[in-house]
Amino acid sequence: MKWKLSSLIGILAAVCIPLGIAIALLVASPASANSPPPPFMNWFSLTYPSGQTTLQGLQIVDCSTATCEKPVLLIQYGECRDTGCLTSPAIFAQRGDRFDCFDDRCLWLGSALDSFPINAPQQKDEPKKWFRLIGQFADRLRLSAPILKGETTSFPMNGVWQVEVTSDSMQMAQKKGIISYSALSPFQEYSNRMFWSSWLLTILLELLVAWLFLWWRKASQQTLSRTLVAIAMVNLFSYPVVWIFFPSLEPFQSVFSRYFGISSLAIAMLYGLMMHVESKVSSRKLIFDSFIILIGANIIGFFVALCFGYGRWEPIVEGIPYRFTLPASEIFAVVYEAWVIATLSLGQLSFKQAGLLSLLTNATSLLLGVILFSFTSNL
């Protein structure tokens, strides 16, 4: 029996959407109840205003006084060999905690279960404690000033710390009110703040730029309307790849985000292939089919990612820095959108012409994104 693509899309709509809603209602409450508690996460983001230098090792030490005469090594990453480094065994490493660094980010991952001993007596009037960082860099050893624990900071509970590496020391400050379960690059932080509004602005801006370009090229009304529909629809699938898949390849990303990112790429490629088969459908049917595929396939992708990532709080350390994923995502967007636009243009645009149009629209939306990122970062 020969199945038409429209039949498959109908089945996708009839089965996946109600099934996804039903599963979401059934598992939402039990999932949060049965999920293991997240570990404590202390993120350290390093900046180098005095010039980049290679981090070779980092120690977190505990101090009983503000001058830190008798420091105790809590956890260590890499090697610390210069005078001033502690050589005693790391207390929390023996307990199974992890301390990893990649590029300019470090993460101390502590066990939440071990941090709450059930039978431990409650301590009253505990003495004050401080902590500091000892960093082994390629050029020299650097220390941070001791910071008081508990009163003005959340250490050793969850925290995000900004570490400024100067020419001879480290200056550390906690970002207040932030708890993160994955490392966010600057563009991920922007995406978290403006994902939906930026998606809408991207589509509207690219439609405007495309309309001006096609009007200038004196395109026919049929070419103009069909191309604008194709641009709007393809952005429903290319945008999640740019802002979900490529960021999920960066260091310290959760298992869920990585699998969900892969699903967004798979959905985009599936959409492109399906539109290649049904490239001559009417614009109205194209819009309907695109939304059905978008909703149904993402429901499936979400639950696949949930199956693999449920309860796995530990981020994946290895990854590709965003200075590489960002340009790669833009190259993907230009090529992918050119392919789909040329496919859906009913033969009115060649791949070369669609590529020029895609390059123009994506360059404009990227420029808008950089402007918005700079503006929101200063707020």
Side-chain angles (χ1 to χ4, degrees), residues 330-341 351 355 358-359 362:
E330 291 302 320
I331 293 172
F332 167 83
V334 171
V335 175
Y336 174 76
E337 291 180 16
W339 169 50
V340 177
I341 292 170
F351 180 77
S358 177
L359 179 62
N362 279 282

Side-chain angles (χ1 to χ4, degrees), residues 53-67:
T53 181
T54 303
L55 176 67
Q56 298 177 338
L58 191 63
Q59 295 181 334
I60 302 178
V61 303
D62 190 69
C63 306
S64 56
T65 64
T67 53

Side-chain angles (χ1 to χ4, degrees), residues 4-180:
K4 291 184 177 180
L5 182 60
S6 57
S7 301
L8 295 176
I9 293 174
I11 293 173
L12 187 68
V15 175
C16 294
I17 296 177
L19 180 62
I21 295 173
I23 294 175
L25 293 174
L26 288 173
V27 306
S29 297
S32 60
N34 297 328
S35 175
F40 291 137
M41 295 185 183
N42 275 279
W43 295 93
F44 300 89
S45 179
L46 280 65
T47 59
Y48 300 87
S50 301
Q52 183 79 27
T53 181
T54 303
L55 176 67
Q56 298 177 338
L58 191 63
Q59 295 181 334
I60 302 178
V61 303
D62 190 69
C63 306
S64 56
T65 64
T67 53
C68 206
E69 291 94 352
K70 297 180 179 180
V72 176
L73 181 59
L74 299 179
I75 197 79
Q76 175 175 329
Y77 158 77
E79 295 183 354
C80 194
R81 59 185 180 276
D82 288 0
T83 302
C85 294
L86 302 187
T87 58
S88 57
I91 296 174
F92 287 96
Q94 297 174 349
R95 195 183 70 171
D97 287 19
R98 288 172 45 196
F99 191 33
D100 299 298
C101 295
F102 191 97
D103 202 24
D104 60 350
R105 302 291 176 103
C106 296
L107 169 64
W108 178 7
L109 193 69
S111 172
L113 294 176
D114 292 341
S115 301
F116 295 101
I118 297 175
N119 298 321
Q122 185 175 2
Q123 300 292 328
K124 295 183 179 180
D125 300 326
E126 292 185 354
K128 292 183 178 180
K129 291 279 189 177
W130 288 258
F131 77 100
R132 77 186 317 174
L133 299 182
I134 301 176
Q136 176 70 65
F137 295 87
D139 57 344
R140 60 168 297 163
L141 190 74
R142 291 174 173 84
L143 285 74
S144 69
I147 295 179
L148 184 63
K149 297 194 296 187
E151 293 187 2
T152 59
T153 69
S154 63
F155 191 87
M157 305 298 184
N158 295 308
V160 178
W161 302 84
Q162 188 71 38
V163 182
E164 186 176 286
V165 181
T166 65
S167 59
D168 58 356
S169 66
M170 291 183 290
Q171 299 177 6
M172 184 168 50
Q174 183 176 12
K175 294 183 177 181
K176 299 295 184 180
I178 299 178
I179 297 177
S180 180

